[in-house]
Amino acid sequence: MTTTADYSEKIPNNVDLHEDRRLKRALESWQPNFLRWWESMGPALPTEDVYLRTAVNVGREGWAHFGHVAMRDYRWGIFLAERDRDRQIGFGQHKGEPAWQKVPGEYRADLQRLIVIQGDTEPASVEQQRNLGASAPSLYDLRNLFQVNVEEGRHLWAMVYLLHAYFGREGREEAEELLHRNSGSEDAPRILGAFNEETPDWLSFFMFTYFTDRDGKYQLGTLKESAFDPLSRTCEFMLKEEAHHMMVGTTGVDRVVERTVQVMREHDTDDVVAHGAIPLDVIQKYLNFHYSVSLDLFGSETSTNVANYYTVGLKGRWMEGRRRDDHRLTDDSMMVDALVDGEIGETEVAALVGLNSDLRREYIADCESGVKRWNRILEEGGLSSRLMLPHIAFNRRVGAFSGIEATPLGERISTEEWERRKAQWLPTEVDKTYVRSLMQPVHERGKIAAWLAPPRQGINGKPFDYDYVHLP
Ligand SMILES: [Fe+2]
Ligand SMILES: [Fe+2]
């Protein structure tokens, strides 16, 4: 195992691909299909080149190289975090045994399913973001969009590598399917609901990278704990790339809020529409939507499948190593969200079956930190308005609250009342049309759209007015 990626190969990698001719050939025959998919479903805006980072190393320091690259020539590669030869399984019935370097036969189907589901989200987001380039608010933002896109493409490579290397013919077939399903498609949609929603504007993009990419971070965090070592090492490195996607979302919403605050103060009005900014209540509605659909991604409150994945070692908890318990959980219980006599409440279940709820709670706590940041911007701007995360029962389509309706404050309401009032809480056609009307491209170096504040920092020490993207 080498840390430095081999870029002399057709497929850059740090997994000694040249030593396995069959695997190398199989992946090289998938590569043109991937590139065809990228051409037809990837970024639609033509570019000459983009200032992108490319992974060259998986170590702590200096793993990325920055430079202007033509996007179709981006070197998508396969990078696993370095192997720890002494790594032991950290939880479940195999706790303390050496991590697996091969897939145990009895867990093959389940592991393959987990990898396919993760793999399916990666290209889905590229598809969802396909048309955003045409309305980018600045070259800096355009560059960030493309960075996210190429890395989601690389994450697809990461999962396809595992499928090819460890799951034989079925794995290769699944790798093909990952290119055939498409976000929002009628006949072959992506597996998870949130990945079939469109990302039609940049406010949605920032909310998506904040809330939905963050779901990805938590899912990867559980797979990083996996007893299947190649999956663990793949996810460990993906998480490093994912941090940039989080940054794009967090600072993106920061900058929208900041601009709205500026306009509100400058003109001493809540009516920022007249001045081309996004009203706080519209920001809140977008937040409500993206947060609630992202909560659905964590699945039902209880799941025997997930209990089983944990017990056998396929999928751990977020930060498993830091938990102070026996890491087996066979005798523990926990409270999970539930409808109790028709009311929003909690119920006690065996800890193992409640693991989806455990992960969702970690995620929610993390989401709170964003809201805190954005509220600090409001506070420092001297405004009394605040943003908030809606209640966990709000707008849910999966789990205990999927059959009921609730306000953002968690008050249960009838379907009729929901229909009557939902325009207060979720983006309406009017809101969406307004936000879309702001999405006029600013492709001029150093300029930025009026609805968004410039970033505090550029990329890799470059200034905001750097030529991040060259357009034809
Ligand atoms: Fe990803
Ligand atoms: Fe991501």
Side-chain angles (χ1 to χ4, degrees):
M1 167 56 55
T2 49
T3 336
T4 306
D6 181 354
Y7 272 86
S8 67
E9 294 273 331
K10 227 170 159 182
I11 301 167
N13 70 89
N14 72 348
V15 294
D16 294 331
L17 198 55
H18 61 273
E19 285 177 7
D20 188 338
R21 288 170 155 272
R22 271 187 65 170
L23 175 60
K24 188 174 150 191
R25 237 181 295 127
L27 283 164
E28 283 180 357
S29 72
W30 185 81
Q31 192 174 34
N33 301 345
F34 169 83
L35 290 172
R36 257 195 303 278
W37 166 81
W38 176 265
E39 291 292 330
S40 62
M41 301 302 288
L45 184 77
T47 49
E48 253 163 34
D49 58 36
V50 184
Y51 187 68
L52 294 174
R53 73 173 180 190
T54 305
V56 288
N57 177 310
V58 295
R60 211 169 259 282
E61 301 297 323
W63 59 269
H65 169 82
F66 283 83
H68 283 95
V69 226
M71 264 201 294
R72 103 191 65 79
D73 300 332
Y74 187 81
R75 304 297 309 277
W76 285 280
I78 299 162
F79 311 114
L80 272 58
E82 235 167 317
R83 180 169 164 193
D84 168 4
R85 297 201 167 262
D86 303 322
R87 180 168 177 255
Q88 293 180 348
I89 300 170
F91 60 94
Q93 68 191 20
H94 300 294
K95 184 175 182 303
E97 296 171 18
W100 313 323
Q101 301 306 324
K102 294 241 152 59
V103 179
E106 63 268 45
Y107 308 140
R108 194 182 174 83
D110 283 340
L111 258 179
Q112 185 177 304
R113 184 77 192 144
L114 287 172
I115 291 168
V116 166
I117 290 174
Q118 181 60 43
D120 194 66
T121 66
E122 312 290 355
S125 60
V126 177
E127 294 164 356
Q128 290 170 290
Q129 295 158 13
R130 170 167 170 74
N131 294 312
L132 286 174
S135 60
S138 74
L139 289 183
Y140 163 87
D141 290 287
L142 187 59
R143 177 261 164 218
N144 284 348
L145 167 71
F146 292 150
Q147 183 72 58
V148 170
N149 292 162
V150 293
E151 283 172 354
E152 299 304 6
R154 205 203 68 70
H155 292 174
L156 172 60
W157 270 98
M159 293 298 121
V160 164
Y161 165 71
L162 295 177
L163 290 169
H164 273 232
Y166 297 95
F167 296 89
R169 203 174 64 138
E170 268 183 58
R172 291 194 293 277
E173 285 168 6
E174 290 286 7
E176 287 301 322
E177 288 305 309
L178 286 170
L179 298 175
H180 290 150
R181 283 187 294 273
N182 290 142
S183 178
S185 154
E186 296 258 310
D187 333 317
R190 291 294 175 185
I191 298 170
L192 301 171
F195 291 90
N196 287 305
E197 301 282 351
E198 47 174 2
T199 310
D201 60 70
W202 281 74
L203 180 57
S204 299
F205 174 63
F206 292 143
M207 292 293 178
F208 183 96
T209 40
Y210 189 83
F211 289 106
T212 309
D213 270 292
R214 190 171 308 272
D215 155 74
K217 167 182 162 186
Y218 280 79
Q219 301 300 340
L220 291 174
T222 65
L223 296 174
K224 187 187 100 151
E225 305 293 338
S226 182
F228 180 43
D229 202 43
L231 175 61
S232 163
R233 287 164 47 213
T234 300
C235 291
E236 187 177 336
F237 188 64
M238 289 164 76
L239 278 165
K240 291 188 185 172
E241 293 171 314
E242 210 58 59
H244 175 263
H245 311 179
M246 308 284 104
M247 185 284 284
V248 169
T250 309
T251 59
V253 181
D254 280 359
R255 294 159 58 212
V256 176
V257 173
E258 195 181 319
R259 180 64 190 144
T260 299
V261 170
Q262 275 172 11
V263 171
M264 285 171 80
R265 286 180 54 117
E266 208 173 296
H267 300 277
D268 194 21
T269 176
D270 289 350
D271 180 23
V272 297
V273 168
H275 308 283
I278 303 179
L280 283 178
D281 66 321
V282 174
I283 299 173
Q284 179 68 61
K285 289 184 195 181
Y286 272 67
L287 185 162
N288 289 347
F289 173 75
H290 286 272
Y291 175 68
S292 55
V293 300
S294 299
L295 288 180
D296 280 346
L297 289 170
F298 291 83
S300 331
E301 284 69 18
T302 59
S303 163
T304 47
N305 274 343
V306 173
N308 182 47
Y309 295 159
Y310 185 85
T311 301
V312 302
L314 308 187
K315 198 176 165 184
R317 284 173 294 174
W318 178 253
M319 297 282 170
E320 184 68 46
R322 293 201 198 155
R323 307 287 184 122
R324 297 188 173 277
D325 51 37
D326 70 356
H327 303 277
R328 293 177 198 269
L329 310 180
T330 43
D331 304 321
D332 301 346
S333 63
M334 69 178 287
M335 301 300 289
V336 299
D337 296 299
L339 273 188
V340 183
D341 302 326
E343 295 300 316
I344 295 168
E346 291 194 334
T347 187
E348 189 171 355
V349 299
L352 282 171
V353 299
L355 287 173
N356 278 344
S357 301
D358 179 81
L359 190 63
R360 183 159 34 224
R361 277 177 196 153
E362 296 286 335
Y363 168 81
I364 292 171
D366 196 1
C367 289
E368 295 278 5
S369 67
V371 175
K372 250 196 203 149
R373 272 176 86 104
W374 305 326
N375 282 338
R376 208 174 311 127
I377 297 171
L378 291 169
E379 196 182 337
E380 281 166 7
L383 298 179
S384 57
S385 315
R386 295 291 180 263
L387 295 167
M388 58 169 257
L389 294 179
H391 191 272
I392 193 164
F394 172 80
N395 193 38
R396 295 296 303 282
R397 296 297 167 259
V398 171
F401 306 130
S402 58
I404 64 155
E405 301 300 350
T407 69
L409 292 174
E411 183 199 345
R412 190 172 172 184
I413 53 173
S414 67
T415 315
E416 296 73 50
E417 192 176 349
W418 167 260
E419 287 302 327
R420 207 167 54 242
R421 295 177 67 188
K422 71 177 181 194
Q424 298 170 30
W425 306 318
L426 290 172
T428 61
E429 281 314 311
V430 173
D431 299 327
K432 291 183 199 170
T433 304
Y434 172 64
V435 170
R436 258 174 254 186
S437 77
L438 298 177
M439 300 295 132
Q440 302 302 324
V442 179
H443 289 165
E444 211 179 320
R445 203 172 151 174
K447 296 272 162 58
I448 189 158
W451 57 271
L452 183 69
R456 296 265 148 96
Q457 275 165 356
I459 292 297
N460 192 34
K462 301 288 186 227
F464 171 67
D465 64 2
Y466 185 63
D467 55 340
Y468 289 108
V469 183
H470 293 122
L471 295 166

